[in-house]
Amino acid sequence: MARTADKKAQEAALSRAVWDVLGQQGLERLTVRAVAAAAGCTTGLVMHRFPNRQALLRHARQLLHEKTRDRVEALERDAPSPRAALREVLRQGLALDAEARQESVVWMGFLAAAVADDELVERHRANNRAWRARVERLVGEAAPAWPPTRVSDVALGLIAMAEGAAAFAAADPGAYPPVAQERMLTEALAAYQLSEERRWRSR
């Protein structure tokens, strides 16, 4: 049991190191040596788990997907209404703090890396499609009278707004402060008649 626990702790430390290198040093500096330095271990130990750079990238991409999925599922469970769930799920994708900005940088790094890696691009697409499906489901639950085409179009518009804001904020946080991003989300939801406030006023 102790050996299994040690192995899991070791894998968790390596995962954190991969994430830290990507977020703090950038995609081009993600190497076995850099991960070993961040984890405080030997390169041999890293290569035992990740034999090459592509394995590091694929692991980190899956880590991002799982981290986001766990977070949004918790937000959905705790939301008092479908519209509140939609807002909170979109909000968590904005670059509102240092950790979220780092996630945005990592995501853009994966997008760049996927161009030259068929396996990574397929994983990237599958995860992004799962994200779009989730937002479409939330929009549908928030506006059950809407036809499927409108649900799909609105979901895509909200995703583009949230991810675009996060990308710009990651590159220039001073020009896109959290308060501005929050305001953009509020206005987008109101424009699509999906805000809680608009719903209450229309009663």
Side-chain angles (χ1 to χ4, degrees), residues 11-12 55 61 71 74 79 86 93 106 124 137 149-150 167 181 193:
E11 289 185 350
R61 183 62 183 92
R71 185 168 62 226
L86 176 63
V106 170
H124 198 64
R137 174 177 57 77
T149 51
R150 177 160 175 76
Q181 295 177 64
Q193 298 184 331

Side-chain angles (χ1 to χ4, degrees), residues 179-200:
V179 65
Q181 295 177 64
E182 296 252 28
R183 191 163 55 242
M184 289 169 64
L185 176 58
T186 297
E187 292 297 329
L189 290 170
Y192 288 125
Q193 298 184 331
L194 286 170
S195 67
E196 291 279 351
E197 183 180 6
R198 177 69 64 84
R199 183 186 184 191
W200 178 79

Side-chain angles (χ1 to χ4, degrees), residues 2 22-23 25 34 38 72 82-83 87-88 109-110 117 120 125 148 152 157-158 160 169 184 188 197:
L22 268 175
Q25 300 182 41
V72 299
R83 294 190 179 202
R87 179 185 177 84
E88 289 306 307
F110 287 128
D117 185 328
L120 186 57
R125 288 172 177 171
S152 180
L158 290 170
M184 289 169 64
E197 183 180 6

